[in-house]
Amino acid sequence: MLACILLTTLLQAQTDRVRFRITDGKGATIALAEVSLLDAKGKAEQIQRSNRLGQVSFVNLMERDCKFVIEAEGFAKREITVPARHNDETKMIDVALVPKKR
């Protein structure tokens, strides 16, 4: 019984995570940027918005490569592929968006 409890606790503790910090390229953070995690067919599986500090986090991504699309009003869309993480690893990514051309 103790072994089952310990195994469950260890599995719950493993939260592979990708954390983004989204800026405008000059260092100013972008709040409410939309970050989508895409599935294998390119469809949004999860969608989150960055907070006032330009940060957003995705957890429990398991051991797979992940493709993200980042969009914010007035800025060009970015696509980023993040290689698989293992064993409770957090990947920190700074993303600088560029203004859309008029």
Side-chain angles (χ1 to χ4, degrees):
M1 176 105 159
L2 180 60
C4 285
I5 293 171
L6 289 174
L7 180 59
T8 302
T9 303
L10 285 172
L11 290 174
Q12 288 175 345
Q14 292 180 350
T15 55
D16 296 327
R17 173 180 313 187
V18 174
R19 185 174 271 167
F20 293 97
R21 181 175 173 268
I22 303 164
T23 65
D24 66 359
K26 295 180 182 177
T29 59
I30 299 175
L32 302 177
E34 184 176 279
V35 182
S36 302
L37 169 62
L38 305 182
D39 64 15
K41 295 181 181 179
K43 183 177 178 187
E45 179 177 301
Q46 290 183 45
I47 300 172
Q48 295 191 42
R49 294 213 179 253
S50 60
N51 63 19
R52 65 182 178 82
L53 301 174
Q55 299 172 344
V56 64
S57 183
F58 290 82
V59 297
N60 297 326
L61 297 175
M62 308 308 271
E63 296 177 355
R64 66 177 176 123
D65 292 349
C66 295
K67 187 172 189 174
F68 295 91
V69 174
I70 301 142
E71 300 177 89
E73 189 173 333
F75 293 90
K77 175 170 58 169
R78 288 265 321 257
E79 291 186 13
I80 295 175
T81 300
V82 179
R85 286 131 336 275
H86 305 284
N87 301 324
D88 200 25
E89 183 182 346
T90 297
K91 178 79 172 176
M92 303 291 289
I93 302 172
D94 285 321
V95 178
L97 298 180
V98 296
K100 284 183 182 176
K101 295 181 181 180
R102 296 180 186 201

